Structures are given as C-alpha cells and as structure tokens.
Amino acid sequence: MNFRLVFMFNLVFLISNFLDTEVIMVESLGCNWGTRASHPLPPDITVKLMKDNGINKVKLFEVVPEAMKALGKSGIQVMVGIPNELLAPLATSVRVAEEFVSQNISFFISRYGVNIRHIAVGNEPFLKTYKDLFSQTTFPALQNIQAALIKAGLGRDVKVTIPINADVYQSDSGMPSGGNFRPDIHDLMMNIIKFLNDNGAPLTINIYPFLSLYADPHFPIDYAFFDGTAAPVIDGSITYTNVFEANYDTLIWALEKNGYPNMPIIVGEVGWPTDGDPNANKEYARRFNQGLIDRINQGKGTPKRPSPPDIYLFALVDEDAKSIQPGNFERHWGIFYYDGTIKYPLNLGNNKNLTAAKGVRYLSRQWCVMKPDANPSDPNLPQSINYACSYADCTSLGYGASCNGLDLKGNASYAFNMYFQTMNQQKGSCTDRFYNLSVITTIDPTPSRDSSCRFEIMIDTGRHEQSRTPSSSSSSSPAIEAYGGSVLFATFLIAVGFISVVA
C-alpha cells in the first residue's frame, strides 16, 4: 500500500546468491530506494552500495537526473516512474508523451547508457482514498507513453506497467478463490490488463502485510510472516499460512476469472518498517525480510503461481522527510539506515550478508542536547520542541517507537538534536534557537551501545554552507508540510508526557 507523497523516488535492491568465485543474481527480488530525505545518500555512493550487495535492478518513482547519471553504464536495470500528477498532461496528447520519453528516457539511454527496462505509469492511481482522481487519465497516459516508446524505437526494450494497490481487487467470500476486481473499476482494469498483455508488459502490485497488522489489532501476527501459523486459511484444497500468498493469489484468481491466467506480475513493493509503531521494529523486519529472501532463494512462489515473481523489497534506505499521514512508520522502511549503515543482519544466500555503504562523509561529531541545568518546567520548552519537530523527524519518539523509553530531558534532547542535524549543524541552530535550553556537546547522548534509539549525525551533503534556518513565522513552509508540523507535535506531546508540563 502506498500513502507516500507522489514525488518520492524508489530504487530496486536485487538480492543475490553468492558463490566463492562469482555472483549468481536472483532475478526475482529487488528493493525500492526512496530519496525523500533531508540528507539523502549521494547517488554515486548509493549505486556502489547496490553493486556491493549484488543489486542489478533499480526503480525510481520519477526521473532524478543525478541518480540517472550515476546509474549510467552501471549494469543496473532501471524502472522509471511517472508521478500521478503528470498523468493528466500525458493523457492529453501523444506529443506530450513523446516529449517525456525523449527528455527522460531516450536522453539517458543514449547520453549516459542507462539501462532502462520499464516505465511505471503512475503509482497506485486507483486507491479508494483518491476518489477517482486519476481514473480518467491513467489509461490514456499509459497508451500515449506506449505510443511514444514505439515512435522512439524503444517499444521492444522498454515495457510499460502500472503499479497498483491491493485494494483494486477483493473477495466477497474472504478467500483468495473469491478474488475479482472492484466493481467500480472492473471495466477499466480489464482495458488496462488487455493493453499490457497485448504489448507484452507486466502488471505491478504492491502488497504490505505490515499494514494488515497495523490496521487490525486482532490480526493474527504469525500470519503476517513466513514461518508458519497456528491459524492457517483453508481455501478448498489450498492451505495459506501467510497473508502475502493469500493476497497475491487473490489477484491471480481475479486475472484467471477474467481471461488472463498467464499475466506476468511484478511485486513492486513489499517490506516491513523498523520504527514508529510497536510492531515496526528490527526484530519483525528481519523476520519478515529474511523469510521473503529465503523464499526467493528457494525459488518458491505461491500455490497459484509456484514460480516466484519479481519482488521489490521496500525499501533500501530510510527517508526522514516522507509524509507521515499513514503513520510514523513511513520514514523507517529501509533495510539500511538513511546513511547506508546496516540495521539488522540479512543472509542474502550462501551465507553472504548485507554490506554497508562506503565513503559516506558526515557532519562534525557533535550533538545538540538539553542543558543539564535546564528546568523541565520551563514554559518555553513545549514551543521549542514544537519548532524542532516541525522541521525535523521526531517519529522515533512516538508510542512504541525506538526512543519511546527516554526520560523528559532525553526526549527534548532528541528533538533538539534532530533539528540541529537537519539544519546541517549551522551556527545558532542549537544554542540560539531554543531559549537557552540547549547546548552543543561532543559526548554521544545515545542511551547505550545496545540501544535501538539513535542520536543521529547527518550526512555532509556539501550544501550546509548555503542552507538557511527556516523562519518560525512561516505557516506554509514545505518543510512543515514534509515533516508533519503540529500534528506530529501533538502526537509527540501525548507520547512523551509534555501534557502535564503544559498544564
């Protein structure tokens, strides 16, 4: 399921089996790489990270020039995404689509040698929450992009697809065998599927077992993973022991009922977050992703499709500037932390594990914390926290999150430091910003070496000298929109106990 901003970019992380003398790639597994981050991992380091981990496929939600250039002649296959906001102009005429293909596809193929294999037209455009906003433009845009590819001589090499959410299909019986497409978009889906099939193109589906658990506190937790459950779902002669297989096969049943039993499928997004919710933690994420990787390495599919589909794990790295409208976990889907360091071990096959990013340059080794002698009852403290969490990511402080166990000063220090780091440790962004309640320290305030709560130091992007501290009077700052503003702070107040301070 996708509740992300449409300009988020994704990158596909291909897990591989390693032998002593060579690397054998598992063609059916990938990983999304999002770059909605205040301090994104530089593209050249990210490409190196992928190659070091056997990655040979990448998926972007839109064309990012620097990322595309870094991918040139890398040997990595690329899927380029088109944001939903571009569907309307692309649907208006083939000429608009031709210009898009010329500037964003042909250009990077010919100039930089980027190995573009797919174009993802829109992203989950038929979500019920969109209320038919893209229902009239998605299919025409798909048709025009395909026509533009053919005119550019790329029709055979570059395939179109549409990533859809699992809510495009349903089952009245509650079983996979009852699967069919939603009545309100059934005819539209049939037109799209026929068009994709006629052009030898795949359908892409996003599946999120974590969200099943997040949405329903009574959801059987073992059913979200791949290591067995005491309450399997029996559908005729088929036994389903995990929700991923049941969800996927519901789509396969829907396709079979409508005459497309052999439609190629890509699982565009699937994964597990590590923070921002009690069920979003490293233990569960490792359990889920390792189970998924093991299935792929074993060549295991689903009861209806025994061969595994191409699967793209979500995601490569954390993104501290994503929308948190769905929940605080949205910023923590990465296999790696924001800087390419490893969160938890994953065996990629043949006992080969993840490799961290190399060559990452950080800001100075210093943190912004609450002064030891500062008064927790200071009336300026709540508004200071409010300001910090409006411009920086405080999601790790929420209920059940990794830093939820900090005391009052620890919570304030975390918020102050995230702002300080997000502002590139600019002079005054700590000592002059929070009413004399904060101080810079060179002593790491992280609770303990084994703690899952991290007091970050941001990547040095090389732009910190030109950055500006945002004005506290701005009510329409993009930073506030990106970080969630006062909504996040209200949650934060309840989670860390500041309500009693305010009162």
Side-chain angles (χ1 to χ4, degrees):
M1 181 173 292
N2 171 33
F3 296 99
R4 284 162 290 285
L5 298 178
V6 293
F7 290 107
M8 182 196 74
F9 316 105
N10 291 344
L11 181 71
V12 178
F13 173 52
L14 181 71
I15 305 296
S16 60
N17 286 327
F18 291 79
L19 297 179
D20 291 338
T21 56
E22 64 178 340
V23 177
I24 299 178
M25 310 309 296
V26 178
E27 293 296 333
S28 56
L29 183 63
C31 182
N32 294 271
W33 171 35
T35 59
R36 288 204 63 82
S38 63
H39 293 69
L41 201 62
D44 58 335
I45 293 178
T46 304
V47 171
K48 180 84 164 51
L49 175 66
M50 290 189 291
K51 292 177 72 68
D52 286 347
N53 286 279
I55 299 166
N56 74 349
K57 292 184 180 180
V58 55
K59 175 171 171 281
L60 303 171
F61 263 47
E62 67 177 359
V63 174
V64 186
E66 294 307 314
M68 296 288 279
K69 293 174 185 177
L71 288 164
K73 300 180 180 179
S74 66
I76 298 174
Q77 298 178 16
V78 180
M79 179 185 289
V80 175
I82 298 177
N84 291 339
E85 292 181 357
L86 296 184
L87 294 176
L90 288 170
T92 59
S93 71
V94 176
R95 174 163 295 190
V96 174
E98 290 173 353
E99 292 177 356
F100 177 89
V101 169
S102 175
Q103 296 172 11
N104 298 288
I105 308 302
S106 300
F107 173 77
F108 286 104
I109 291 175
S110 60
R111 179 69 65 88
Y112 294 100
V114 182
N115 186 13
I116 300 175
R117 295 294 185 88
H118 291 90
I119 299 179
V121 182
N123 186 56
E124 300 184 342
F126 308 131
L127 275 174
K128 292 179 181 178
T129 54
Y130 289 151
K131 301 184 184 300
D132 295 325
L133 181 62
F134 306 110
S135 296
Q136 302 301 315
T137 56
T138 301
F139 187 33
L142 179 72
Q143 293 173 302
N144 288 343
I145 287 292
Q146 177 64 32
L149 286 172
I150 293 173
K151 184 173 182 179
L154 298 172
R156 292 184 177 181
D157 299 325
V158 181
K159 298 298 182 180
V160 292
T161 186
I162 296 180
I164 58 174
N165 185 272
D167 78 345
V168 302
Y169 48 86
Q170 61 188 39
S171 172
D172 292 337
S173 68
M175 298 293 176
S177 60
N180 208 336
F181 295 101
R182 276 176 19 214
D184 60 308
I185 59 170
H186 182 275
D187 292 345
L188 176 58
M189 286 301 302
M190 288 303 96
N191 290 333
I192 289 172
I193 290 169
K194 181 180 185 304
F195 184 81
L196 293 174
N197 186 71
D198 290 346
N199 287 279
L203 181 66
T204 299
I205 179 66
N206 299 338
I207 301 174
Y208 281 102
F210 167 79
L211 293 180
S212 297
L213 182 60
Y214 179 76
D216 181 5
H218 302 294
F219 187 86
I221 189 166
D222 286 344
Y223 195 58
F225 299 96
F226 300 102
D227 43 15
T229 178
V233 171
I234 310 300
D235 187 3
S237 62
I238 298 175
T239 298
Y240 288 98
T241 59
N242 63 82
V243 68
F244 175 84
E245 288 186 350
N247 193 315
Y248 184 87
D249 277 3
T250 303
L251 171 61
I252 303 305
W253 274 105
L255 289 168
E256 288 187 359
K257 289 176 182 176
N258 290 280
Y260 296 92
N262 300 314
M263 184 75 191
I265 303 296
I266 293 174
V267 177
E269 299 177 24
V270 60
W272 201 281
T274 56
D275 208 350
D277 182 78
N279 290 316
N281 56 65
K282 289 187 286 187
E283 178 185 355
Y284 281 178
R286 188 206 62 77
R287 179 182 175 186
F288 182 86
N289 286 328
Q290 188 64 68
L292 188 63
I293 291 167
D294 290 345
R295 290 170 58 90
I296 299 304
N297 286 336
Q298 295 163 8
K300 184 177 182 179
T302 68
K304 291 291 290 181
R305 288 264 181 108
S307 297
D310 283 351
I311 295 178
Y312 293 73
L313 286 176
F314 190 81
L316 185 66
V317 292
D318 284 350
E319 303 165 80
D320 69 341
K322 283 182 65 178
S323 168
I324 57 168
Q325 182 180 0
N328 289 343
F329 56 82
E330 275 299 300
R331 296 175 180 172
H332 304 281
W333 288 94
I335 296 171
F336 297 93
Y337 288 107
Y338 76 101
D339 57 353
T341 54
I342 299 170
K343 289 184 178 181
Y344 50 83
L346 281 177
N347 184 343
L348 307 181
N350 201 39
N351 294 318
K352 296 296 182 178
N353 298 315
L354 294 177
T355 299
K358 299 179 178 65
V360 180
R361 186 175 67 169
Y362 296 88
L363 298 174
S364 299
R365 187 173 174 79
Q366 57 181 355
W367 297 262
C368 179
V369 298
M370 187 174 178
K371 281 184 175 181
D373 59 351
N375 185 355
S377 298
D378 190 306
N380 292 312
L381 186 56
Q383 61 182 304
S384 296
I385 300 292
N386 187 8
Y387 186 85
C389 291
S390 293
Y391 289 99
D393 178 25
C394 294
T395 54
S396 293
L397 293 174
Y399 171 72
S402 61
C403 297
N404 183 221
L406 296 176
D407 60 15
L408 188 60
K409 285 192 173 183
N411 280 301
S413 293
Y414 186 92
F416 292 163
N417 183 65
M418 286 305 296
Y419 177 84
F420 179 59
Q421 303 296 340
T422 302
M423 294 299 113
N424 297 297
Q425 301 184 0
Q426 291 179 51
K427 183 179 180 180
S429 62
C430 177
T431 54
D432 298 341
R433 177 56 61 183
F434 302 118
Y435 299 96
N436 202 35
L437 292 168
S438 55
V439 65
I440 294 175
T441 180
T442 57
I443 300 174
D444 189 348
T446 298
S448 69
R449 180 174 296 181
D450 298 329
S451 174
S452 60
C453 179
R454 291 163 43 111
F455 278 68
E456 306 285 8
I457 295 177
M458 288 296 181
I459 296 171
D460 184 353
T461 61
R463 298 192 299 268
H464 54 280
E465 293 182 358
Q466 288 75 39
S467 298
R468 297 180 179 179
T469 302
S471 169
S472 60
S473 63
S474 174
S475 61
S476 59
S477 167
I480 290 180
E481 294 176 3
Y483 285 98
S486 58
V487 174
L488 172 60
F489 178 54
T491 303
F492 172 82
L493 288 178
I494 295 172
V496 304
F498 267 110
I499 295 299
S500 61
V501 175
V502 176

